[in-house]
């Protein structure tokens, strides 16, 4: 079966499962031509709904953490540190696995845009506002110039570079890595890198993926699986709309973990060092949601530096906003991220939802206070009312007799006194 993949963005072009691709053409695609065009720089048309960082409650979260001390590996197209939105950011030299001109160059444009989501800043009507502004970005370049049409060979090469990037992040003691790739299948070398990351405590975050207009409706779980998000140890993220509602085009897989806003994201446009735009104004993307989630994870890690990657994930999941306390669903996983809630959560093993890695099972809280005494039924409870009625009636009769006797006594005493006087 063949499908033509729309060149709407790299991550979208890597979504369709089990496909045969045409050979790469010389023509290249650009993230900026598609998701962040230069004509949006003036932002004359406001986006519909709230901006992504408002949905995440970033202003409130920054009262507790700004990501200081956390190094985020950005597995993408490199980062242009000269962009105006990144002038105040901390960006390391990183690593380049594309044999191009280094990780601090970005020909495709997505890496620079994503970096601005995480640590960027700008002024304007809809300013760029980094989710974890004091975190450090480490660009890990795994793609460079992207062909408009991609072959199976190109996808396998990309998966190989992704695996190399994960291993490099482990060797260089990064705190977490995030990728916007949603590959249609897993590969042995990628599986091995993810397993190693789990053993070494490196958190990996990836998009759960979505369908493009050219995709057939998936029929099985395998059809919907995207990698690396489908690996159990990877935090798989889907997107919600600015109002928090689920997005119809998102893939609903059993591996989905959590949801985050995926639209209306102010970010850098690499088409010009001074340009920025609102990405995904017309729809939400799980790619953006994954990057946003990485920013929140950095905030939580910075606030709790001694905690494991599993515990950071637990904080994000257990405090996520969902319809009921313990309900998981295929549309949003454990719910929509609550940044401040995740930072301030106190784990005592009693919260309803995913199990705590510190306890392994939900603990029923002990009763605090005075126990309610057990009430033993009285075997005479049915006859006692009649007894009390009888006693009351007897008392009334006795009282009446006493009154009558007293009256007679007074009368008799009075007559005797009259006789004595006479």
């Amino acid at each position: 079966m063949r499908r033509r993949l729309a060149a709407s963005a790299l991550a979208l072009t890597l979504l369709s499962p089990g496909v045969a691709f045409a050979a790469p053409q010389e023509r290249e695609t650009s993230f900026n031509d598609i998701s962040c065009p230069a004509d949006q720089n003036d932002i004359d048309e406001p986006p519909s709904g709230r901006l992504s960082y408002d949905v995440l409650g970033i202003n409130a979260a920054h009262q507790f953490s700004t990501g200081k001390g956390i190094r985020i590996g950005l597995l993408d197209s490199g980062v242009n540190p000269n962009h105006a939105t990144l002038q105040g950011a901390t960006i390391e030299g990183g690593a380049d696995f594309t044999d191009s001109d280094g990780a601090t160059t970005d020909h495709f444009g997505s890496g620079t845009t994503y970096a601005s989501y995480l640590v960027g800043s700008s002024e304007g009507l809809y300013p760029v506002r980094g989710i974890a502004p004091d975190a450090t970005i480490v660009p890990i370049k795994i793609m460079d110039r992207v062909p408009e049409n991609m072959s199976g060979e190109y996808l396998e090469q990309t998966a190989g570079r992704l695996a190399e990037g994960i291993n490099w992040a482990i060797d260089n003691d990064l705190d977490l890595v995030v990728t916007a790739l949603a590959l249609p299948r897993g590969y042995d070398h990628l599986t091995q890198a993810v397993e190693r990351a789990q053993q070494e405590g490196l958190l990996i975050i990836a998009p759960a993926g979505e369908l493009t207009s050219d995709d057939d409706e998936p029929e099985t779980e395998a059809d919907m699986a995207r990698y690396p998000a489908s690996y159990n140890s990877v935090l798989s993220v889907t997107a919600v709309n600015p109002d928090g509602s689920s997005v119809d085009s998102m893939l609903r897989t059993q591996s989905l973990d959590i949801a985050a806003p995926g639209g209306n994201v102010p970010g850098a446009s690499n088409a010009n060092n001074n340009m920025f735009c609102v990405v995904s104004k017309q729809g939400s993307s799980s790619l953006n949601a994954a990057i946003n989630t990485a920013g929140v994870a950095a905030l939580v890690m910075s606030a709790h530096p001694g905690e494991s990657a599993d515990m950071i994930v637990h904080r994000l999941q257990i405090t996520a906003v969902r319809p009921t306390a313990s309900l998981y669903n295929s549309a949003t996983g454990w719910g929509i991220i609550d940044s401040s809630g995740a930072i301030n959560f106190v784990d005592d093993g009693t919260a309803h939802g995913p199990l705590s890695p510190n306890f392994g099972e939900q603990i029923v809280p002990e009763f605090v206070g005075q126990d309610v005494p057990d009430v033993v039924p009285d075997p005479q409870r049915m006859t006692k009312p009649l007894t009390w009625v009888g006693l009351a009636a007897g008392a009334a009769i006795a009282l009446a007799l006493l009154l009558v006797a007293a009256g007679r006594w007074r009368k008799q005493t009075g007559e005797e006194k009259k006789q004595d006087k006479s």
Side-chain angles (χ1 to χ4, degrees):
M1 178 176 61
R2 291 178 177 270
R3 296 188 192 129
R4 181 181 64 83
L5 296 181
S8 57
L10 174 68
L12 293 184
T13 59
L14 301 183
L15 292 178
S16 298
V19 297
F21 293 88
Q25 298 178 358
E26 291 185 2
R27 187 177 183 277
E28 298 166 352
T29 186
S30 167
F31 182 85
N32 295 302
D33 292 339
I34 299 154
S35 297
C36 202
D39 60 9
Q40 282 200 53
N41 191 51
D42 294 333
I43 315 182
D44 53 355
E45 181 184 349
S48 175
R50 294 184 295 167
L51 298 175
S52 59
Y53 46 63
D54 291 331
V55 179
L56 288 169
I58 294 304
N59 285 343
H62 283 175
Q63 298 178 26
F64 309 107
S65 175
T66 57
K68 188 175 181 61
I70 302 302
R71 297 166 71 220
I72 305 172
L74 184 55
L75 294 152
D76 208 81
S77 62
V79 173
N80 172 14
N82 297 318
H83 197 280
T85 62
L86 298 175
Q87 291 307 293
T90 302
I91 300 174
E92 293 185 4
D96 178 14
F97 294 98
T98 66
D99 297 324
S100 63
D101 45 2
T104 52
T105 61
D106 185 7
H107 299 115
F108 184 65
S110 58
T112 300
T113 301
Y114 295 148
S116 71
Y117 296 178
L118 295 168
V119 297
S121 63
S122 73
E123 297 180 357
L125 183 59
Y126 303 109
V128 175
R129 185 176 301 157
I131 295 174
D134 290 332
T136 297
I137 295 297
V138 184
I140 305 174
K141 193 171 185 177
I142 60 173
M143 61 189 193
D144 184 34
R145 301 183 185 277
V146 179
E148 186 178 47
N149 295 317
M150 300 176 205
S151 66
E153 180 182 4
Y154 178 85
L155 294 181
E156 186 168 5
Q157 290 173 351
T158 302
R161 291 191 293 267
L162 177 58
E164 288 183 282
I166 292 172
N167 282 316
W168 185 90
I170 297 170
D171 294 337
N172 287 271
D173 297 322
L174 269 63
D175 297 291
L176 67 98
V177 294
V178 59
T179 179
L181 295 181
L183 299 170
R185 52 163 292 197
Y187 299 86
D188 290 342
H189 41 288
L190 181 57
T191 302
Q192 293 167 5
V194 169
E195 289 175 350
R196 184 185 173 213
Q198 182 180 21
Q199 294 170 358
E200 298 294 335
L202 175 68
L203 175 59
I204 303 174
I205 301 174
E210 57 243 50
L211 295 174
T212 70
S213 59
D214 295 321
D215 287 330
D216 294 337
E217 190 69 26
E219 298 179 357
T220 66
E221 180 72 17
D223 290 337
M224 292 185 288
R226 299 293 180 265
Y227 294 87
S230 287
Y231 293 116
N232 289 336
S233 62
V234 175
L235 185 63
S236 175
V237 185
T238 192
V240 291
N241 290 313
D243 62 359
S245 61
S246 59
V247 182
D248 291 339
S249 61
M250 295 296 116
L251 292 170
R252 303 190 175 193
T253 70
Q254 295 178 0
S255 62
L256 174 64
D257 292 310
I258 205 162
N264 289 350
V265 192
S269 171
N270 204 36
N272 183 296
N273 277 351
N274 296 313
M275 289 184 176
F276 70 94
C277 69
V278 178
V279 184
S280 294
K281 290 172 66 174
Q282 305 304 322
S284 294
S285 165
S286 65
L287 289 59
N288 297 328
I291 305 298
N292 286 335
T293 298
V296 176
L299 296 181
V300 179
M301 283 184 170
S302 179
H304 303 279
E307 291 189 344
S308 67
D310 287 343
M311 188 60 207
I312 299 302
V313 169
H314 181 65
R315 284 180 173 275
L316 295 173
Q317 292 178 331
I318 198 70
T319 59
V321 179
R322 49 188 175 270
T324 61
S326 58
L327 182 63
Y328 173 95
N329 67 77
S330 61
T332 58
W334 286 109
I336 304 169
I337 285 179
D338 176 357
S339 302
S340 297
I343 293 170
N344 294 307
F345 171 67
V346 177
D347 183 29
D348 60 3
T350 64
H352 293 278
L355 297 180
S356 166
N358 292 333
F359 294 91
E361 62 182 20
Q362 184 179 336
I363 299 172
V364 178
E366 294 183 4
F367 180 80
V368 177
Q370 185 176 356
D371 291 333
V372 178
D374 293 332
V375 179
V376 179
D378 188 341
Q380 297 180 344
R381 62 187 182 280
M382 297 302 295
T383 59
K384 276 187 176 181
L386 297 177
T387 301
W388 283 110
V389 170
L391 291 174
I397 293 172
L399 179 61
L401 292 175
L402 288 173
L403 292 174
V404 170
R408 289 179 177 176
W409 178 79
R410 283 195 295 269
K411 181 178 180 182
Q412 182 178 357
T413 303
E415 290 177 351
E416 289 177 352
K417 287 182 178 181
K418 289 179 179 180
Q419 290 177 358
D420 293 339
K421 288 180 179 181
S422 60

